[in-house]
């Protein structure tokens, strides 16, 4: 950590800052030249609160030489993390497809979709039981009944299930029944939830918040990793920008950035990112070309009558076509599907 | 609600859509001209899920003639909501100042700051007990011990206390002890929390999420109001933009917009919005000039050694000066302080 | 065009608005129901100024049933526009690669790079002669001397040249020498320039401004098309968001959106979008997977000593590798390269 | 300037970088500790191209200890710049109001509005002659005829005139007739224009681009200042964000930031920022409370029939009321109007 001092910093102020550094068990390397005056901190700064020096008027800027995350950092963990879920591995050479409806609506719907997505090559079933919705007047999910239906679909198809946790009240049921617990974009910085998820031993699918930087996503992953749960899968699902044609702006650059900075697997949700079913295919293909480890895609057998997000759901036959194209793209980038 | 049909929509598709409208207990007004073909819905659409028609390929756009929030809407509630907390009213003619440290650090600190902010005219004491932090390595607050210290400060000064709830696990303690329960920006769309807060009878300070529109803020307020708790105070605290000099971009235009669309009181947090202590004064003055009902300001007796957000905290003597200027601005816009 | 009236609109106001509509030679279709009151315009509204009704207090919203662009609209021009430049076609089945240095620096540099990019499969040479730079202290390009060097490179290699026009003062020279005239992102809404470019018969490469929506990009294209020049190639090069790790956020969703809304070809600039050389490859692959018609890529033989944007330039041997991978991706989406 | 080296940087790479530094006539201060390895540059780096070191793989970050602008920097020019235009001073203690229609429409309109705004206290008349419009189908201004009408209005009222230059073709006419030449937001980074404006001796009103940071605004001012024209007035007019209720998001935090970083005067355009006439008053008051030196406000005698931006124009009687309130706010912050 480097403290760039203000040109007008006086000796008394600097001496107070040096005192604080020493109290933290660190040493100071002072560098003073015509154009700059710096205090470099020597010692283990890895767990220093980043804001700790920002209030001094004598300090112009605080420069972090190292990233603020440790456990999620590729520097300290050069190999890709591979996460085993039942018989599948996420983060290895094989691309994984998670597919299913936005929300579980009834037994017939979820069993039928589960059958279809399995038939066309998805290895995981997604489906919302508890649905966080912008409007209190929108369908809020079947809740625990939805969870039961997901379990039934798993029993019938063998597909591991992925569903979002919206309240810690149901953590136990999720740990018992769910194969990958999803943290939704709106809860990416719900730190109480992240801390609890760090204490369990289930894979967590952590979605990037629509206004979160990649660094913040990694800091949220750090909360889970630090708690002891190393099974974190990141998910890019679009960020909020001024462009209003799409629901969000899918930030595919985040894929190579995450791959460089971290060892964690990363998948893409083209359905929520775009909000339009006809954009799912091109964005799914682009995601794999950009290096993503998988996709989570909304599939519905009757989008016009879906209780949630029908506009961004593709029909099963569209998934079939997409899978054919994804195979070609995966091969082009040296991967299987 | 108006459904603008696609030019190529065929009769069969249109007939299916009309059937769905009728099944919802609504009637259809069909308007077909050279340049447009519209299905207008007749009947009570106020509780219709906004997404319900978006998946039809025959439909180009869904137009909402009315805002999606009802309880928060000024149309249905023309007078300003005034919220009584102890002896103060928020949302009336009088401007209210909430002040105090980012986080409660120890007894001496909170009592000293509480004394100071009371002396200079603040009517409420803020202070973080549970602190949501981007980094797991940052100070996370004194938690319940912090809450006890806030209660002590209230006992000594008589100032009602405002503090953030980060987990429903402590809701009972908050209902017992806290005068205004704050929902932080990161939890603005934590709907499980909002639903629970709708069931209690405490004033809620709902902060706008950094990537939330004003409409979404009002929809989150709607969750609380719909539950039966009508004491919601909104708070603008900056939105996320590309400008990186400030921590966030304070969106003061949101003040007149909220005042037009809703009857709820709205205050501003210039400390979190700017992230820099020397910007608190001009932005506080501008907020009141723009029509805000109050301010929530971070004040610390020793910002350089604050355990959190020292960079954006002003010292008590600065608060004193600010209060003098605020009085002049309040008077200029016809209000008291 | 639909005018959604305010609930409180009185008859006098409405009658004034109807009068205005009639004066424009249009008829009115009035629709009044319990929940809405609408004036629908009947007649040719295609050239109506969009803002013309927005100031009436009686009008809540103005809804455009049709897109505001005509010439650029796929509805009126269903087939893809293919632009012939020398022996190449942009917008057809074949993917085109434009490559070269950010700025032309000297004869040896540009000839060497031109040779290399040709050898590895680029069909066009890019190179900046006039360089718009954020800082007046940065290298501003060799200007006309740079243009001469580009012509020389074309003479040696046969590659058509693409370079940015920054001032209409040099339009004649550009028309004489340049094969595709680039309008930079910062000039996307320099309408005086667009109008002049509409009068010539050269292909124009129109880059999307970093804060422009796709619709605004199409409106800028409309300026050129309306002038009579139908050879417009659009270019996505990243938009400005809060994410600061990358120079801009590449909006690949814009590719399918543009393909749906317009018949114009669209290419991607992964170099400017990301600002980092190691991200050029994954983003180039993703662009073609998403349906782009080509790429414009910065290539430099000595990035460390480049006078401009070395950080985002790849070396020629990296281009060679990239071309191999691009071939596989192009094939996967049914295209050639 | 500090070059933070990569942990894995090898001696050969570092030696090449040092060589480059020396070739630039600068010396190197090398600092190597456990946690960081830095090359500090010693000497005059003020005119170094910021990108010059970014392409080296051995370099992780380039830190600018000093701001990249010199002429616009308050450090080198501590006193406020005051710009004299006829008998008025912009940037002194007195707040200046510029008012008038979006575009000049005809003689009667401009003379009537000019009369009104003068009567109510505006000291400058604004009015568009050449209008940059998103749509080629929108009214493009009366052009030179509009300029003549502005001159006539000046002759009648004595008010200095402010109007936007959209093409250098008319620079001579503007230098002859216009008192303050406006550079529109879309041309903020039209560097060819800025360079020419640096060579004249007229005050320039430089509007912030909707996606430009404050630093970029100051860099654009630097182009003009470096050319020798020191009469630059900055203008905040809203930035582009995801919030779509307002036309742009007025960034009032930019006022204290600009005042800290630069000596140049700064005014605010609440009309373009909000796009809604009823928000002009609260945002105008807030602007002055935040420390702005003036306002530029759209005023129209018949907004419903304005040829441009009627929705954001206030009527003359509304300006009268606003001026009364502005006087109170100005007084509250120790200024006159």
């Amino acid at each position: 950590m480097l403290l760039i001092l203000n040109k007008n910093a006086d000796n008394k102020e600097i001496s107070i800052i040096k005192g604080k550094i020493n109290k933290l068990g660190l040493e100071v390397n002072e560098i003073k030249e015509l154009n700059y005056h710096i205090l470099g901190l020597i010692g283990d700064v890895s767990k220093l609160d980043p804001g700790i020096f920002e209030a001094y008027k004598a300090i112009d800027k605080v420069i972090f030489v190292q990233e603020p995350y440790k456990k999620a950092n590729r520097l300290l963990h050069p190999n890709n993390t591979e996460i085993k879920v039942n018989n599948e591995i996420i983060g290895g050479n094989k691309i994984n497809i998670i597919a299913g409806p936005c929300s579980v609506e009834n037994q017939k719907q979820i069993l039928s979709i589960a059958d279809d997505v399995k038939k066309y090559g998805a290895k995981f079933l997604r489906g919302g039981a508890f649905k966080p919705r912008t409007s209190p007047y929108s369908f809020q999910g079947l809740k625990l009944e939805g969870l039961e239906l997901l379990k039934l679909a798993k029993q019938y198809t063998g597909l591991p299930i992925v569903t979002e946790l919206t309240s810690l009240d149901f953590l136990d049921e999720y740990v018992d029944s769910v194969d990958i617990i999803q943290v939704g974009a709106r809860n990416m910085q719900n730190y109480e939830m992240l801390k609890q998820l760090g204490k369990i031993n289930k894979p967590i699918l952590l979605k990037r918040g629509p206004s979160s930087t990649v660094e913040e996503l990694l800091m949220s992953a750090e909360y889970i990793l630090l708690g002891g749960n190393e099974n974190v899968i990141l998910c890019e699902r679009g960020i909020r920008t001024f462009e209003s044609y799409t629901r969000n702006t899918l930030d595919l650059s985040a894929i190579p950035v995450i791959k460089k900075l971290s060892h964690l697997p990363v998948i893409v949700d083209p359905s929520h990112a775009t909000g339009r079913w006809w954009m799912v295919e091109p964005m799914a293909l682009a995601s794999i070309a950009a290096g993503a480890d998988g996709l989570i895609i909304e599939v519905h057998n009757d989008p016009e009558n879906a209780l949630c997000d029908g506009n961004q759901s593709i029909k099963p036959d569209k998934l079939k076509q997409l899978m054919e194209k994804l195979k070609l793209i995966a091969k082009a980038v040296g991967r299987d599907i």
Side-chain angles (χ1 to χ4, degrees), chain A:
Chain A
M1 194 184 280
L2 303 175
L3 311 179
I4 313 285
L5 297 175
N6 194 303
K7 281 231 152 176
N8 308 318
D10 66 28
N11 286 338
K12 201 183 142 199
E13 291 175 295
I14 295 172
S15 147
I16 290 171
I17 295 168
K18 286 181 186 169
K20 182 164 177 176
I21 296 170
N22 291 333
K23 256 192 268 172
L24 291 163
L26 302 166
E27 285 179 67
V28 182
N29 180 18
E30 184 164 2
I31 310 139
K32 188 166 182 175
E33 290 298 337
L34 185 66
N35 295 314
Y36 47 84
H37 189 171
I38 301 172
L39 302 183
L41 276 57
I42 307 174
D44 180 10
V45 298
S46 70
K47 284 166 192 172
L48 226 52
D49 186 327
I52 200 165
F53 291 107
E54 290 189 342
Y56 289 92
K57 288 173 206 175
I59 297 175
D60 254 6
K61 284 188 206 161
V62 178
I63 306 295
F64 298 89
V65 179
Q66 292 152 301
E67 286 84 14
Y69 42 88
K70 319 290 160 200
K71 295 270 181 188
N73 201 322
R74 189 179 279 278
L75 275 182
L76 310 176
H77 187 313
N79 295 326
N80 286 341
T81 284
E82 300 191 355
I83 296 173
K84 197 160 183 300
V85 192
N86 300 13
N87 298 315
E88 301 297 327
I89 287 172
I90 296 181
N93 191 61
K94 199 158 154 283
I95 303 291
N96 280 284
I97 309 300
I98 303 168
C102 174
S103 63
V104 182
E105 297 173 10
N106 55 60
Q107 179 172 331
K108 195 178 153 199
Q109 175 239 26
I110 191 67
L111 293 188
S112 155
I113 297 175
D115 253 359
D116 282 346
V117 305
K118 182 181 181 188
K119 185 167 58 186
Y120 300 136
K123 299 294 185 194
F124 297 84
L125 175 67
R126 63 148 290 154
F130 294 83
K131 295 299 306 172
R133 306 298 300 274
T134 305
S135 168
Y137 305 110
S138 296
F139 176 60
Q140 309 274 320
L142 293 182
K143 305 199 172 85
L144 287 179
E145 186 194 336
L147 193 57
E148 288 307 311
L149 293 174
L150 283 172
K151 285 160 71 174
L152 195 66
K154 178 180 174 180
Q155 197 181 309
Y156 274 46
T157 60
L159 290 181
I161 54 181
V162 182
T163 193
E164 179 174 354
L165 179 74
T166 60
S167 162
L168 290 171
D169 288 353
F170 302 105
L171 184 56
D172 290 346
E173 284 88 343
Y174 273 62
V175 169
D176 283 349
S177 315
V178 174
D179 298 285
I180 300 180
I181 299 178
Q182 179 181 319
V183 177
R186 293 183 180 100
N187 278 317
M188 190 200 92
Q189 294 189 314
N190 182 340
Y191 301 119
E192 296 307 316
M193 184 180 279
L194 301 180
K195 285 175 192 171
Q196 294 307 315
L197 295 176
K199 295 178 187 163
I200 62 173
N201 196 20
K202 277 272 165 180
I204 307 299
L205 177 59
L206 179 64
K207 290 192 134 187
R208 180 182 182 184
S211 69
S212 295
T213 61
V214 168
E215 184 172 297
E216 288 165 344
L217 173 61
L218 294 173
M219 289 306 280
S220 285
E222 188 83 3
Y223 267 95
I224 302 172
L225 298 168
L226 196 61
N229 184 351
E230 302 199 338
N231 302 302
V232 179
I233 303 154
L234 305 173
C235 180
E236 161 62 30
R237 41 76 74 206
I239 58 173
R240 196 146 214 184
T241 72
F242 60 84
E243 174 59 70
S244 59
Y245 190 93
T246 42
R247 183 168 172 171
N248 293 284
T249 296
L250 184 62
D251 178 15
L252 285 185
S253 309
I255 306 300
V257 172
I258 289 170
K259 285 288 173 192
K260 184 180 186 79
L261 300 177
S262 181
H263 50 88
L264 296 172
V266 58
I267 69 170
V268 174
D269 177 345
S271 309
H272 279 86
T274 63
R276 297 182 179 240
W277 65 269
W278 53 269
M279 295 179 70
V280 170
E281 179 176 303
M283 290 302 102
L285 300 177
S287 300
I288 301 308
D293 295 308
L295 295 164
I296 178 164
I297 296 176
E298 295 201 350
V299 175
H300 200 286
N301 52 349
D302 183 11
E304 286 88 349
N305 291 302
L307 294 180
C308 159
D309 284 350
N311 200 28
Q312 69 197 33
S313 298
I314 59 173
K315 292 189 183 170
D317 61 333
K318 201 81 183 103
L319 176 67
K320 187 183 173 190
Q321 290 168 33
L322 172 59
M323 292 300 294
E324 292 310 310
K325 296 187 185 179
L326 281 172
K327 278 174 199 160
L328 298 173
I329 296 284
K331 204 177 154 198
V333 294
R335 300 181 78 165
D336 295 323
I337 201 161

